Amino acid sequence: MKKIFLISFVFLLFFNGNNVFKVDGYRPVYVPKEEAKVIKVLPPRDVITQGKIYVKDNYIFVGDVNQGIHVIDNSDPRHPQKIAFIQIYGNHDIAVKGNTLYADNMDDLVAIDISDMQNPALVKRVEGVYKMPNQHFPEDLPFQTYFECPDPSKGLIVGWIPAELENPKCYTSY
Amino acid sequence: MKKTIYIITTLLVVLFLSNCQKESADIGGGNIGGTTGKGGSMAKFTIANDHLFLINEKQLKVYDLTTPSNPTKVNELDVDFGIETVFSLGNKLFIGSVNGVYIYDITDPENILYLSHYEHITSCDPVVANDTLAFVTLNSQSACHWQTGDNRLDILDIKNIVNPVLLKSIQLENPKGLGVDGQYLFVCNSEQGVKVFDISNIYQMEQVSGISGIDAYDVILNNNILILVGKDGLFQYNYEDIHQIELLSNILF
């Protein structure tokens, strides 16, 4: 009786209805190839992956890792307002001097004129400052980090962001 | 005659005053073409001396911003693999890496001088500094390391910039970015919030204040306003009274 119970228990452990392996890992950010280096302004939106911050005069910029920059009007620090999102794929950092915003965009450094925050204009692109984002796996992570296996049919990978994965098949290794 | 003297004097006064105003507009940044903003300690970009200093996977690259819309590369040097953050203070540049902190003299951005290197166990390293001290957090769980490191705050004496000396190490739970304003050091400690230390006497340094209940990744200190970012959102606090840090606003993520 005890044996039957034990066998049933082990059986159920492996064959229960909720057999999904969930783990924190990384997923690619896919973008159509022709869009990857397009810099443009979009309406304010939610933050997906909190990035770094930068302050210039009455603006606070909050990075959304590998996607772009949220622009916040901070004229009144008691009532900051998100006013725009600047699409800059593959982005990690920014700095501002005068009315020029410098940012990394994939493997390039870009200079964007932000005199009119609702009409940012790309004024210069310096190519090849960085390596292109890895199209196969997320770099600089501990071994055995799970990631969603890349699918080239979904577009160009502009970067990798943290995500909860279900039954991931890929993980980093030696 | 008197009238002429009056007119000339008035003109001279007006000219003098208008020149004064022009100069004060430059005091903020001292830069041609506009003032520079402020980044957090986790940055890989910094603007100093009219130049943009950025780090990629292993190099420091320097761009002249005299014409802001036309950044022009003027220098490039190999630093180390695993460089993670860059910070400038006056004519010194600090680069945090897996192998410690590298310190450079950037008085002439086209001829950068290597000054010194503080080594310690491998971690991701945001660094901030004032004239005499540098502050570095080390995190064992960070994305650039594989749990070989420690979790702590290191304080270095940099009075002799070519020979930084470790003064103190404080164990912390999950340290991330940091910022310094006068006698106060603000250290982000992830889920543990922010710890505020009084650094007026480094040998008797103690925590005097803090913010809890929010995830803290990095801070920018801006005229008595603390701008904090973390997983929960963007928070701003008034820290004029360090013992009564007042929440001004938040934008939740």
Side-chain angles (χ1 to χ4, degrees), chain B residues 209-247:
Chain B
S209 190
I211 298 167
S212 59
I214 38 104
D215 178 89
Y217 173 77
D218 205 3
V219 288
I220 295 177
L221 305 169
N222 204 32
N223 301 324
N224 280 327
I225 292 184
L226 172 79
I227 301 171
L228 171 70
V229 75
K231 293 188 199 133
D232 304 316
L234 179 78
F235 298 80
Q236 295 188 71
Y237 301 86
N238 178 346
Y239 63 92
E240 222 170 315
D241 177 355
I242 204 70
H243 300 289
Q244 305 255 47
I245 295 177
E246 180 206 350
L247 175 68

Side-chain angles (χ1 to χ4, degrees), chain A residues 97-163:
Chain A
K97 179 170 180 264
N99 285 317
T100 309
L101 183 147
Y102 304 94
D104 54 317
N105 169 219
M106 309 292 287
D107 55 329
D108 300 341
L109 168 70
V110 293
I112 301 167
D113 185 317
I114 51 167
S115 333
D116 177 358
M117 202 60 81
Q118 296 297 341
N119 286 295
L122 178 68
V123 292
K124 174 131 187 200
R125 175 176 292 280
V126 180
E127 293 178 340
V129 175
Y130 303 91
K131 285 190 304 192
M132 270 294 283
N134 194 312
Q135 301 296 303
H136 306 288
F137 64 89
E139 294 188 359
D140 296 327
L141 290 169
F143 299 134
Q144 301 279 57
T145 298
Y146 284 93
F147 59 94
E148 187 185 288
C149 303
D151 177 358
S153 71
K154 291 189 175 173
L156 185 70
I157 294 177
V158 300
W160 299 78
I161 55 176

Side-chain angles (χ1 to χ4, degrees), chain B residues 132-151:
Chain B
T132 55
L133 298 167
F135 306 90
V136 185
T137 59
L138 286 76
N139 192 302
S140 66
Q141 303 274 335
S142 57
C144 71
H145 274 289
W146 309 335
Q147 290 153 24
T148 53
D150 201 353
N151 285 301

